[in-house]
Amino acid sequence: MSAVPQLHTPQPHTPQMVDGVSPKGWVDHPTGLSFEYLGIAEEPPRRTEYSWCWQHQREVHAQVSAHRTPDTVIFVEHDPVYTAGRRTRREAYPFDGTPVVPVDRGGEITWHGPGQLVGYPIVFLQRGIGVVDYVRRVEESIIRLLAGYRISAGRVPGRTGVWLPSDGHGPERKICAIGIRVSRQTSMHGFALNIDPETTGFDNIIPCGIEDADVTTMARELRRVHGPDVEVPGLVTVARRLEPILTEMMAFRRYRMSPDIPRREHPAYLHPLD
């Protein structure tokens, strides 16, 4: 494998309170970040139908955007479903005609299903905090989480989500997809972290519209590095470990952004250089 020219993902600027004075245009909003577990923390765990959860997101979004409740992250595991963001082309729909739920988030088509932790951070973005800044912080949360499991992941310049580099195990591969919408200065939709799903659901589409890379899971990467008997964490365990990281990132304090992954050519895919 040979290296490809290394671009760089710039870190966005975040407005900060100075000497107790908030930037112009900031409003009073409940502090903190709350977490809601839909079904996955029950015994036995329960999956949640996508359309119902989407309506629940809208209800929480209305409360957060009106400053009635703190920012909230909804953790869930969905029944199998394909969702298509606003940029999805019809030719990207499942090859076998499986139904798709069109949604109002950014991005293209993806799959949700068992073994995947889906998180919906519903977060009010104070004036001057941009969408890109917010997305980079969601990515950073997942990167730091994975580092705690000794999985070295990062960003690919020009692409959203969290990735593993092309290496002796395979081409560049996405482990976490991100697609959001911001309305009334408040985010909805979110991220899908592949913990231990059957990835055959991705074989029926071009995930996120990206044809020159692959999809992976925490289970697959842990087994490649540590052997087939390595313990794979459950969804709730991962979500609990993610809570303090998200809490830190969604406080919008200064932080040092993790580096991008090194980019190398792989015989299965020739990466575009721009």
Side-chain angles (χ1 to χ4, degrees):
M1 295 183 293
S2 60
V4 299
Q6 299 296 299
L7 303 177
H8 173 66
T9 302
Q11 180 164 348
H13 169 74
T14 305
Q16 299 287 320
M17 184 179 294
V18 178
D19 296 329
V21 178
S22 299
K24 184 178 179 181
W26 280 28
V27 300
D28 288 334
H29 183 75
T31 60
L33 185 64
S34 64
F35 295 87
E36 181 179 0
Y37 288 70
L38 288 184
I40 62 174
E42 296 179 7
E43 192 56 49
R46 174 177 54 83
R47 297 197 295 267
T48 302
E49 192 269 331
Y50 184 86
S51 295
W52 182 91
C53 188
W54 189 10
Q55 177 58 34
H56 180 64
Q57 277 191 75
R58 289 192 284 260
E59 293 166 0
V60 176
H61 181 277
Q63 295 297 311
V64 172
S65 63
H67 317 298
R68 299 191 187 101
T69 58
D71 300 336
T72 300
V73 179
I74 301 170
F75 286 127
V76 66
E77 179 185 38
H78 283 307
D79 293 320
V81 64
Y82 291 103
T83 67
R86 293 188 300 265
R87 294 192 302 128
T88 306
R89 301 153 295 159
R90 289 296 305 184
E91 57 267 29
Y93 273 46
F95 309 133
D96 65 357
T98 300
V100 174
V101 179
V103 293
D104 56 357
R105 60 165 171 79
E108 300 200 31
I109 194 164
T110 194
W111 173 88
H112 298 308
Q116 185 185 71
L117 177 66
V118 178
Y120 298 119
I122 300 175
V123 174
F124 178 72
L125 305 180
Q126 293 280 7
R127 183 180 228 178
I129 296 177
V131 175
V132 174
D133 188 0
Y134 166 74
V135 170
R136 295 289 168 262
R137 288 171 178 271
V138 175
E139 292 170 342
E140 187 69 27
S141 299
I142 301 300
I143 292 167
R144 295 185 180 191
L145 169 80
L146 293 172
Y149 287 101
R150 294 188 290 172
I151 298 174
S152 297
R155 299 174 184 82
V156 170
R159 291 177 170 173
T160 59
V162 178
W163 298 77
L164 274 78
S166 176
D167 53 22
H169 297 301
E172 288 180 357
R173 47 209 187 273
K174 181 180 280 191
I175 195 168
C176 181
I178 296 173
I180 71 159
R181 178 185 181 221
V182 174
S183 172
R184 298 180 63 188
Q185 290 183 243
T186 305
S187 66
M188 62 184 302
H189 300 289
F191 64 86
L193 175 60
N194 298 327
I195 297 178
D196 195 12
E198 288 288 340
T199 56
T200 52
F202 294 108
D203 295 339
N204 198 24
I205 57 171
I206 300 172
C208 302
I210 297 172
E211 301 181 78
D212 64 332
D214 202 355
V215 172
T216 192
T217 71
M218 288 181 64
R220 185 178 298 170
E221 299 303 326
L222 287 169
R223 289 168 183 148
R224 281 170 169 166
V225 175
H226 306 294
D229 297 327
V230 68
E231 181 179 357
V232 177
L235 271 67
V236 173
T237 298
V238 173
R240 298 290 187 203
R241 289 186 65 166
L242 186 54
E243 281 193 27
I245 306 173
L246 276 171
T247 299
E248 178 184 354
M249 287 294 105
M250 294 300 106
F252 292 96
R253 292 187 287 268
R254 290 188 176 92
Y255 73 103
R256 183 181 296 275
M257 201 168 80
S258 298
D260 298 330
I261 63 170
R263 304 204 71 194
R264 307 178 185 91
E265 292 180 349
H266 187 275
Y269 300 97
L270 293 178
H271 300 295
L273 303 184
D274 54 18

